[in-house]
Amino acid sequence: MTEVTKTLCPYCGVGCGLEVSPPAQPGKATYRDSQGNPIWRVRGDKTHPSSQGMVCVKGATIAESLDKNRLHYPMVRDSLDQKFRRVSWDEAFDLITKRIQTVRFTQGPQAICMYGSGQFQTEDYYIAQKLLKGCLGSNNFDANSRLCMSSAVAGYIQSFGADGPPCCYDDLELTDCAFLIGTNTAECHPIIFNRLEKYHKKNRKVKMIVVDPRRTPTAEVADLHLAIRPGTDIDLLNGIAHLLMRWNHIDVSFIDDCTSNFPAYAEVIRHYSPEIVADRCGIDIKDLETAARYWGQSQRVLSMWSMGVNQSSEGTAKVRTIINLHLMTGQIGKPGAGPFSLTGQPNAMGGREAGGLAHLLPGYRLVKNPQHRAEVEEVWGLKRGQISPNPGLTAWDMITGLEDGNVGLLWIAATNPAVSMPDLERTKAALMRSPFTIYQDAYYPTETATYAHVLLPAAQWSEKTGVMTNSERRVTLCPAFRRPPGQAKPDWEIFAEVGRRLGFVGEFAFANSAEVFAEFIQLTRDRPCEMTGLSHEQLRSQGPTQWPHPDFGLEITGQHSEIETSDEQSNNPKSIDASAATYGSHSVSTRRVIQNLKSKRLYTDLRFHTPDGRARFGAYHSRGLAEPPDPDYPFVLTTGRLYGHWHTLTRTGRIEKTRQMHPEPFIEIHPRDAAGLGITDNQLVEVRSRRSKTFFPAKITKAIAPGTVFVPMHWGAMWADNAEANALTHPESCPDSLQPELKACAVQIIPVTADLTVIKDRGSGIRERGTGIKLVTKP
């Protein structure tokens, strides 16, 4: 094989197009890594509309991870204190199906759980939903989108009546004012930031506002950086709204014609005067006024946010409060404007479309809606009532379910919760209690493998064919271009084979992933995320395509059902009440669907997916952090990502270049705080929360606000000792989205009184201290 394969980067939700070619090319030297191993060549795809040929260091080096520490064959053990033994796929499948049947008939289907990943392709997500929610009758499928994007989902549903970012990447080069809050876009979504930064430099009248307690690389290029105290986002947003109202920078016609609940919102923001807001947020009144002036005087405002907003105990309220600013100024449904959530995982959007959270069904449906369940049961060929009306367990519910014995089988796939979950010591203790854990991944070892009874080797990106949807709703086909190593199988094939062995032969009679996708898109018909006009073949010939994209070759009935929710409805599987039964009954004309298809944006006709077609204001007072600082724990710890690493190092920790970029964890401390504690640069410090303690070398910097400290979240127990950020965090979550507040917890900082000696060993960066405490960053 010598031809170039067009595909998608499997890291973040930007969804950059890549071109990949084999290591050996005619007339050229074989392309190799630094150890001499042949690796595939990767470059940016200039024809991909999302990334336009750009690629960051992670995408550029992705091929170097493909053959590092791969899991090649199934392995099992009877208890966690035993070693794994190799088994055949037949033996592994028999063990799994027997255990599923045992749990199903002794504890019930509600004791069967699966925790999946935005690393899945849409076909993987879809087959997992059909297996668990359809055939087994368990809605206990959740994904790491619960830790990443669920607050954005809830916010969009409550404000607009449907999930789905309404903007597109072209808006980056059309906006007058970019408002970035809770996102270090330069490091976490670098290609989006590259597009925005280039445009900003060329157009000096364009303003960029960055809201972040840290002076990140994103904040460095902003016209205005608001270093607010953690937990004061709603104070700031309501304060901006207060000034917009005072200065009459509002779109009265849009508010009257296209929205509801504005009076309640106006009553709330009345209480957020500049003096109060500046004091709560820890910023100058002048800066607050400048932010409001930039927003109010701009014709096209584009807001962007990510984990800094979503990972909060009031995450949904924050998202809706951002959206409120767009609604009060009419900044939506037009080029360069709108509220734009930046997705974390490469296919978290595809997972939402396929029903990949505990309260969802494919096609943006809710499990609590009888009509939605009936529609899915009909397509799946199931008897009426087979799908449970009760939302399933969220990711954290699965952990507590292990604690109380209600979870009898836990299937984890393509994610690493033994590093990424909050309150990590509690998480690990719960995983130790699991009666039976299946762990399906491409790599071994990982931290989560420590808690598994069965290991299943999964084919990953490059080795299986399927689609992914990026942050701007663009669907890209990712074809296989190499064979899986050893006996690894695509995730959807593993799920389907288990389904067949459980007796659901007809339900999983798919010859390939193209057939899986063809069935899935039928469940998007007449839904906000309609994709009936797409197929693997169409994507292969036409290239990446945004939804909605219906099949105009079929007869159109003239009625397209939409989403109907109340303000209380969200993506909280526990709070969506019986009124969800009406969800999906509202209809609009085909003309409107076709009209919206002419744009890359949603809501260009200023009609929303609500019963009355109006967007809803959400009226929220700020509640602050779930765990604020106090005299015993006086600092707020916030966590985040670094440019060269991805999540829990499962890939980037095995790539020499990215590992050398960020060789070890650290903690950022403001010089004023460091002086008060007697801490010098690079000194080891102990960080304690109410749950655990960790150790980090101090990085003293003015880039962090006083009273706040920052730790990167990537390092788990495999890669560094006593440096797990989530050992410190708590599981308190947003009541609507059930997304944990991973971004903030209260900590104390204790200097370790010993000289720091740095010993370099093949670049691994081993640090030893005379106190007997040792932090090892492992190669």
Side-chain angles (χ1 to χ4, degrees):
M1 177 181 176
T2 59
E3 67 272 14
V4 170
T5 299
K6 289 182 180 290
T7 184
L8 196 74
C9 179
Y11 280 112
C12 76
V14 174
C16 296
L18 301 179
E19 291 184 343
V20 186
S21 55
Q25 295 285 320
K28 297 181 180 179
T30 299
Y31 190 55
R32 301 177 185 275
D33 64 15
S34 58
Q35 283 78 43
N37 303 308
I39 56 171
W40 291 72
R41 302 169 186 262
V42 178
R43 65 179 182 225
D45 178 6
K46 294 181 180 179
T47 68
H48 197 287
S50 294
S51 52
Q52 303 172 349
M54 292 180 282
V55 62
C56 77
V57 67
K58 294 188 291 292
T61 59
I62 177 62
E64 296 183 33
S65 70
L66 295 180
D67 292 309
K68 301 281 183 68
N69 305 122
R70 293 295 300 273
L71 181 60
H72 288 97
Y73 40 78
M75 296 194 290
V76 303
R77 58 183 174 183
D78 298 324
S79 63
L80 299 186
D81 58 358
Q82 296 178 348
K83 291 184 178 180
F84 284 107
R85 63 183 185 276
R86 179 177 175 175
V87 296
S88 67
W89 271 109
D90 272 343
E91 291 174 284
F93 282 135
D94 285 346
L95 177 62
I96 291 168
T97 53
K98 287 177 182 177
R99 192 61 178 243
I100 288 175
Q101 293 290 52
T102 298
V103 174
R104 191 179 173 199
F105 294 117
T106 56
Q107 292 180 265
Q110 71 278 0
I112 300 170
C113 299
M114 183 180 289
Y115 182 49
S117 167
Q119 296 285 313
F120 280 165
Q121 293 173 338
T122 299
E123 294 82 354
D124 303 321
Y125 263 118
Y126 177 70
I127 293 299
Q129 307 317 300
K130 191 173 187 180
L131 175 61
L132 264 76
K133 295 175 181 175
C135 297
L136 296 178
S138 171
N139 289 326
N140 295 338
F141 179 99
D142 215 39
N144 50 22
S145 288
R146 180 69 61 186
L147 309 183
C148 176
M149 298 306 299
S150 55
S151 292
V153 176
Y156 281 141
I157 290 175
Q158 291 185 9
S159 292
F160 299 145
D163 187 12
C167 309
C168 66
Y169 293 164
D170 286 354
D171 293 325
L172 296 165
E173 291 113 355
L174 296 171
T175 188
D176 296 334
C177 178
F179 183 84
L180 290 80
I181 179 169
T183 169
N184 181 11
T185 319
E187 294 196 81
C188 301
H189 298 91
I191 303 309
I192 285 179
F193 186 76
N194 288 352
R195 290 183 62 170
L196 178 62
E197 184 181 24
K198 289 177 184 177
Y199 170 72
H200 181 239
K201 283 182 177 179
K202 291 179 181 177
N203 300 273
R204 299 315 303 172
K205 291 183 179 179
V206 173
K207 301 302 181 183
M208 186 189 301
I209 305 167
V210 173
V211 183
D212 197 310
R214 299 174 66 218
R215 189 168 182 82
T216 63
T218 308
E220 290 285 348
V221 302
D223 298 287
L224 177 64
H225 173 215
L226 300 174
I228 64 171
R229 293 190 181 98
T232 62
D233 307 69
I234 291 176
D235 296 287
L236 173 71
L237 295 164
N238 283 345
I240 292 173
H242 178 101
L243 290 171
L244 292 173
M245 177 78 83
R246 178 187 294 184
W247 297 339
N248 201 31
H249 286 310
I250 64 174
D251 190 331
V252 176
S253 296
F254 178 83
I255 292 170
D256 289 345
D257 295 343
C258 304
T259 72
S260 63
N261 203 42
F262 182 71
Y265 175 59
E267 171 57 27
V268 165
I269 63 176
R270 183 175 65 84
H271 300 280
Y272 289 80
S273 67
E275 295 77 15
I276 290 173
V277 170
D279 180 64
R280 289 180 183 174
C281 295
I283 59 175
D284 291 336
I285 290 179
K286 181 180 177 181
D287 288 341
L288 174 65
E289 291 174 339
T290 300
R293 190 173 298 110
Y294 284 168
W295 189 297
Q297 294 177 353
S298 298
Q299 298 301 308
R300 300 181 300 274
V301 181
L302 181 69
S303 66
M304 288 169 278
W305 74 91
S306 192
M307 301 308 109
V309 167
N310 295 335
Q311 290 178 335
S312 168
S313 58
E314 49 183 358
T316 304
K318 289 181 182 180
V319 170
R320 295 199 69 191
T321 307
I322 295 169
I323 293 173
N324 288 343
L325 291 177
H326 287 273
L327 297 182
M328 75 183 299
T329 54
Q331 296 285 358
I332 190 170
K334 60 183 181 180
F340 200 177
S341 62
L342 301 180
T343 311
Q345 290 260 13
N347 198 35
M349 277 295 297
R352 288 143 68 175
E353 297 151 14
L357 286 171
H359 65 291
L360 296 179
L361 290 171
Y364 281 2
R365 291 176 172 86
L366 294 175
V367 300
K368 295 199 80 168
N369 185 304
Q371 179 184 337
H372 288 182
R373 296 196 303 274
E375 290 167 352
V376 176
E377 286 163 351
E378 181 178 358
V379 171
W380 285 350
L382 303 174
K383 65 181 181 181
R384 188 63 63 92
Q386 177 69 24
I387 298 175
S388 169
N390 302 313
L393 300 180
T394 67
W396 185 252
D397 290 335
M398 293 177 192
I399 297 301
T400 59
L402 290 172
E403 290 177 335
D404 59 28
N406 289 330
V407 172
L409 182 147
L410 177 61
W411 194 336
I412 303 169
T415 188
N416 196 12
V419 180
S420 59
M421 290 292 284
D423 199 352
L424 206 52
E425 295 307 313
R426 181 177 175 185
T427 294
K428 291 178 182 179
L431 290 171
M432 285 294 293
R433 297 185 60 175
S434 175
F436 192 76
T437 297
I438 305 161
Y439 185 48
Q440 182 171 311
D441 205 307
Y443 291 96
Y444 179 78
T446 68
E447 287 85 353
T448 301
T450 303
Y451 305 94
H453 299 87
V454 178
L455 297 178
L456 300 180
Q460 64 159 319
W461 174 86
S462 78
E463 300 155 5
K464 60 181 182 179
T465 296
V467 307
M468 290 191 174
T469 307
N470 73 357
S471 290
E472 63 167 349
R473 296 171 284 105
R474 193 175 298 279
V475 183
T476 300
L477 180 67
C478 307
F481 55 83
R482 68 194 294 268
R483 292 182 179 276
Q487 298 176 10
K489 295 178 180 288
D491 294 279
W492 76 265
E493 290 188 15
I494 297 171
F495 301 146
E497 180 61 21
V498 169
R500 286 189 291 268
R501 291 182 181 231
L502 288 169
F504 305 103
V505 177
E507 288 82 355
F508 297 100
F510 300 101
N512 51 52
S513 60
E515 292 185 3
V516 176
F517 187 69
E519 180 177 292
F520 158 66
I521 61 171
Q522 297 311 310
L523 280 165
T524 69
R525 187 177 304 282
D526 297 341
R527 304 301 302 160
C529 58
E530 172 138 7
M531 287 178 264
T532 53
L534 298 181
S535 66
H536 279 201
E537 186 55 40
Q538 186 269 352
L539 291 167
R540 189 174 284 110
S541 60
Q542 181 174 311
T545 305
Q546 281 183 293
W547 61 254
H549 194 86
D551 180 4
F552 291 114
L554 298 177
E555 181 181 354
I556 300 176
T557 64
Q559 298 296 319
H560 286 251
S561 62
E562 296 191 338
I563 293 181
E564 189 171 307
T565 60
S566 69
D567 268 1
E568 289 72 35
Q569 289 174 321
S570 66
N571 72 330
N572 179 349
K574 294 178 178 177
S575 71
I576 298 173
D577 59 21
S579 62
T582 62
Y583 181 106
S585 62
H586 190 60
S587 297
V588 295
S589 67
T590 301
R591 185 185 311 153
R592 178 190 161 199
V593 175
I594 296 173
Q595 177 184 347
N596 282 326
L597 285 173
K598 296 178 181 178
S599 173
K600 299 176 180 180
R601 300 162 189 89
L602 304 181
Y603 312 124
T604 56
D605 59 355
L606 305 183
R607 296 283 293 173
F608 300 89
H609 294 293
T610 54
D612 58 5
R614 294 170 176 263
R616 299 188 182 98
F617 281 93
Y620 296 95
H621 284 291
S622 176
R623 293 187 289 111
L625 298 176
E627 187 179 76
D630 59 30
D632 292 329
Y633 296 89
F635 295 95
V636 176
L637 169 75
T638 186
T639 66
R641 303 178 188 174
L642 304 175
Y643 169 66
H645 278 316
W646 172 250
H647 281 198
T648 63
L649 303 184
T650 306
R651 278 198 183 107
T652 57
R654 294 176 163 95
I655 298 171
E656 183 177 4
K657 184 173 184 178
T658 53
R659 192 173 65 242
Q660 289 180 349
M661 288 179 69
H662 309 291
E664 64 181 4
F666 55 84
I667 184 168
E668 289 184 353
I669 305 175
H670 189 273
R672 189 183 76 188
D673 296 328
L677 293 169
I679 294 170
T680 58
D681 197 46
N682 211 36
Q683 181 180 354
L684 184 69
V685 300
E686 179 182 341
V687 185
R688 290 184 181 180
S689 74
R690 289 177 172 84
R691 289 153 295 280
S692 190
K693 64 181 179 181
T694 54
F695 296 88
F696 301 99
K699 181 179 180 180
I700 300 175
T701 173
K702 292 182 180 179
I704 190 76
T708 304
V709 293
F710 168 82
V711 167
M713 52 75 65
H714 305 289
W715 280 266
M718 263 189 58
W719 303 97
D721 291 338
N722 304 308
E724 297 159 304
N726 281 328
L728 302 168
T729 58
H730 61 75
E732 296 301 314
S733 62
C734 169
D736 288 336
S737 68
L738 300 184
Q739 181 161 359
E741 191 166 79
L742 289 166
K743 278 295 178 183
C745 67
V747 298
Q748 54 183 234
I749 311 295
I750 304 169
V752 175
T753 54
D755 292 333
L756 180 63
T757 304
V758 180
I759 302 173
K760 294 295 182 182
D761 179 18
R762 299 180 184 177
S764 62
I766 299 175
R767 295 180 178 275
E768 294 184 353
R769 284 87 182 181
T771 59
I773 300 170
K774 183 167 67 174
L775 174 66
V776 181
T777 305
K778 304 173 184 179

